[in-house]
Amino acid sequence: SNSRDAEGDPSPVVKISSIGPYDYAVLRADSKDEMLNWLTDNHYFIPTGTEDVVGPYIRPGAYFLALKLRSG
């Protein structure tokens, strides 16, 4: 099976890249805390209320795309 062991790969990151003036990250949404912690650690802005809004979408096999404007 192709499922990942949480201990083997704690990071939710699937891909990090940039396009135009934006950096972006594709993140696995298996765990809300892991995902939001990664976004905070990597200086992505998380609007108030995000935790409640994303809750229903947090499940194994789900993904989020995060965008941020690069400095400069």
Side-chain angles (χ1 to χ4, degrees):
S1 115
N2 173 8
S3 67
R4 296 192 176 158
D5 183 347
E7 288 176 3
D9 186 7
S11 168
V13 175
V14 176
K15 178 177 183 175
I16 300 176
S17 191
S18 58
I19 185 166
Y22 294 98
D23 287 333
Y24 72 87
V26 179
L27 305 174
R28 286 198 304 276
D30 303 359
S31 159
K32 179 167 68 173
D33 290 343
E34 276 178 15
M35 184 178 73
L36 294 176
N37 288 344
W38 187 90
L39 289 169
T40 300
D41 292 346
N42 289 274
H43 312 292
Y44 280 79
F45 174 70
I46 301 173
T48 305
T50 296
E51 290 203 37
D52 299 332
V53 174
V54 301
Y57 303 99
I58 301 295
R59 63 179 185 278
Y63 296 88
F64 277 86
L65 172 65
L67 286 168
K68 70 176 173 181
L69 197 53
R70 283 189 288 184
S71 56

